[in-house]
Amino acid sequence: MLNFKIMGVAHDRLVDDIIAVLQRHAEQTDYSPSIKPSTKGNYHSVRVDVRVIDKDHIELLYTELSKLELVRYVL
C-alpha cells in the first residue's frame, strides 16, 4: 500500500475525479480518502491509500492523477 497525497482546488468533483482515476488503474475497490481543507478553503488535500504493483504502476498513477483539471500537486 502506498499513501498518495493529492492537492487540488476545493470543488465537489475533486474526490470523485481522483477515485475514478484510481478505479481505472488500480485493482482495488475500497478507497477511504481523507480530506483536509486549506486554511482559506480554496484547496483540499486528499490522502488515499492505494495498492500498487511496481514502480511503473506508481508512475502511471502519478501521471494520470496529475492530468486531472482540478489537481495541482500529487505527492
Side-chain angles (χ1 to χ4, degrees), residues 2-4 6 11-12 15 17-18 23 25 28-29 38 40 43 49-50 52 55 59 62 64-65 71:
L2 184 65
N3 186 281
F4 282 83
I6 303 107
H11 190 282
D12 294 339
V15 174
D17 289 354
I18 291 169
Q23 287 175 334
H25 296 288
Q28 182 178 335
T29 56
S38 66
K40 294 183 181 179
Y43 296 95
D49 289 325
V50 181
V52 294
K55 184 179 176 183
E59 290 178 12
Y62 274 105
E64 293 301 313
L65 289 167
V71 170

Side-chain angles (χ1 to χ4, degrees), residues 4-24 30-37 43-50 65 68-72:
F4 282 83
K5 184 175 182 181
I6 303 107
M7 301 175 79
V9 177
H11 190 282
D12 294 339
R13 209 177 74 225
L14 178 64
V15 174
D16 292 337
D17 289 354
I18 291 169
I19 297 300
V21 167
L22 295 176
Q23 287 175 334
R24 208 167 37 244
D30 56 335
Y31 297 101
S32 299
S34 64
I35 305 156
K36 182 178 176 185
Y43 296 95
H44 283 169
S45 172
V46 180
R47 287 182 167 264
V48 63
D49 289 325
V50 181
L65 289 167
L68 292 173
E69 177 186 351
L70 296 172
V71 170
R72 296 299 177 254

